[in-house]
């Protein structure tokens, strides 16, 4: 049984002491593809380096809403740097990009500007996008329905269990990716996971964050993706092997691998 972890952060400082060992371990345990996601210039460069050095790793590059510049001019400079990096053959998406009003609400218009401009870049490069949305559901939906929406698909990463967002994503041809939080005991998720058609379903870890039950609170890695897959299998009345196969095939399509 093989898994494709569609969203990981092995470029994060949490792996400084044992990164090489973890990468070797996850491959041996059946995670035979993963995309390491950038979220600023430095981490995007590191994602590309990791992808270049490891055949089973791919990279996404972009500017997370928490890492955007303090002016439109600064943001455009950042995006030009991302554009230069995108020529690498192991770059498969622009991301993660989007909106995050949880920590910062004073720069909402700049966040929207950075999000839309990076969608434009992805459209220009004919790449999918990886979307981050936290406490910004309505504005994310507005962008996804606008003239600025992605033309080459994309992924709602660690998708919020919100019916309007999930349905909008499906309507716009996006893939819906679920992570560890769907395994949490207080999560009501059955109805919303069931509305995602099999051909739009993805799984991820977002490691080192969001460890699923039974490892909640510990550093996450791709080996924990099996718990998310099993939860979805239970909800959809399928086997974990079926979910692994479905999501692997979908991930290859989503990232054009």
């Amino acid at each position: 049984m093989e898994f494709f972890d569609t969203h990981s952060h092995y470029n994060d400082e949490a792996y400084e002491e044992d990164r090489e060992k973890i990468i070797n371990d996850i491959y041996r345990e059946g995670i035979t593809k993963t995309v390491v996601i950038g979220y600023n210039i430095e981490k995007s460069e590191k994602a590309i380096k990791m992808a270049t050095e490891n055949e089973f790793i791919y990279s996404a590059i972009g500017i997370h809403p928490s890492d955007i510049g303090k002016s439109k001019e600064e943001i455009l400079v950042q995006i030009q740097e991302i554009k230069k990096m995108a020529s690498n053959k192991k770059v498969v998406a622009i991301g993660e990009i989007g909106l995050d009003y949880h920590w910062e609400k004073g720069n909402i218009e700049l966040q929207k500007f950075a999000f839309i401009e990076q969608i434009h870049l992805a459209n220009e490069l004919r790449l999918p996008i990886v979307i981050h949305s936290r406490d910004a559901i309505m504005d994310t939906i507005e962008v996804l329905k606008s003239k600025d929406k992605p033309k080459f698909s994309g992924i709602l990463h660690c998708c919020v269990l919100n019916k309007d967002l999930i349905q909008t994503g499906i309507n716009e041809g996006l893939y819906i990716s679920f992570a560890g939080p769907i395994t949490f005991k207080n999560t009501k998720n059955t109805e919303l996971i069931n509305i995602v058609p099999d051909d739009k379903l993805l799984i991820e870890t977002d490691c080192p964050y969001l460890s699923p039950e039974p490892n909640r609170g510990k550093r996450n890695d791709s080996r924990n993706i099996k718990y998310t897959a099993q939860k979805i299998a239970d909800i959809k009345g399928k086997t974990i092997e079926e979910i692994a196969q479905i999501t692997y095939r979908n991930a290859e399509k989503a990232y054009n691998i």
Side-chain angles (χ1 to χ4, degrees):
M1 184 167 53
E2 295 179 274
F3 291 101
F4 192 140
D5 184 356
T6 60
H7 195 111
S8 63
H9 292 291
Y10 291 109
N11 48 356
D12 191 272
E13 287 81 0
Y15 301 108
E16 285 301 318
E17 295 184 2
D18 60 353
R19 181 176 289 111
E20 185 174 349
K21 179 181 183 302
I22 291 291
I23 288 172
N24 289 333
D25 287 349
I26 66 170
Y27 186 82
R28 281 197 299 266
E29 296 194 32
I31 294 79
T32 55
K33 283 190 175 70
T34 186
V35 179
V36 174
I37 309 289
Y39 46 91
N40 56 34
I41 299 299
E42 177 191 354
K43 299 305 182 185
S44 293
E45 289 175 338
K46 197 163 188 175
I48 292 174
K49 183 175 186 294
M50 294 183 68
T52 301
E53 294 173 349
N54 296 274
E55 186 177 356
F56 79 105
I57 293 177
Y58 299 83
S59 62
I61 57 175
I63 310 299
H64 185 282
S66 297
D67 288 85
I68 61 171
K70 298 186 183 302
S71 68
K72 290 184 177 180
E73 290 74 22
E74 286 184 35
I75 291 168
L76 290 173
V77 169
Q78 290 176 312
I79 292 173
Q80 283 305 306
E81 287 299 310
I82 294 297
K83 183 176 181 179
K84 292 176 186 176
M85 294 182 209
S87 61
N88 188 287
K89 64 181 181 180
K90 293 299 288 286
V91 172
V92 294
I94 300 298
E96 62 187 282
I97 64 177
L99 304 172
D100 191 321
Y101 302 164
H102 183 76
W103 300 112
E104 178 61 72
K105 296 182 180 178
N107 67 345
I108 286 176
E109 291 309 311
L110 278 180
Q111 287 193 41
K112 290 180 182 178
F113 177 79
F115 186 19
I116 290 169
E117 288 298 314
Q118 289 184 93
I119 292 174
H120 291 169
L121 175 62
N123 289 344
E124 177 186 343
L125 299 175
R126 305 179 69 86
L127 288 172
I129 62 173
V130 180
I131 303 165
H132 172 101
S133 179
R134 187 176 188 189
D135 295 349
I137 290 171
M138 296 314 297
D139 283 354
T140 302
I141 289 172
E142 182 181 345
V143 171
L144 294 179
K145 289 182 174 180
S146 74
K147 62 180 176 61
D148 297 302
K149 62 188 178 183
K151 293 180 180 178
F152 298 96
S153 192
I155 298 166
L156 280 170
H157 127 74
C158 193
C159 191
V160 179
L161 289 170
N162 175 277
K163 186 174 183 179
D164 291 336
L165 181 60
I166 291 173
Q167 194 61 62
T168 297
I170 293 168
N171 292 347
E172 296 299 329
L174 303 182
Y175 291 84
I176 312 299
S177 184
F178 294 114
I182 68 165
T183 70
F184 298 167
K185 291 181 174 63
N186 61 349
T187 302
K188 298 178 181 178
N189 50 54
T190 300
E191 176 191 357
L192 298 181
I193 290 172
N194 270 327
I195 70 173
V196 180
D198 286 354
D199 65 350
K200 291 299 179 184
L201 179 66
L202 297 175
I203 53 176
E204 63 172 276
T205 58
D206 197 23
C207 62
Y209 315 107
L210 302 179
S211 286
E213 299 286 0
N215 295 320
R216 188 175 182 179
K218 301 176 182 178
R219 185 185 70 171
N220 200 7
D221 69 57
S222 297
R223 290 171 291 187
N224 285 327
I225 203 167
K226 62 182 178 287
Y227 298 112
T228 300
Q230 185 64 65
K231 184 67 174 183
I232 294 172
D234 293 343
I235 289 170
K236 286 183 167 283
K238 297 181 183 295
T239 65
I240 188 172
E241 289 82 4
E242 287 174 314
I243 294 300
Q245 184 178 52
I246 288 166
T247 55
Y248 202 105
R249 181 173 63 246
N250 290 346
E252 290 181 322
K253 291 179 180 178
Y255 284 123
N256 296 309
I257 293 172

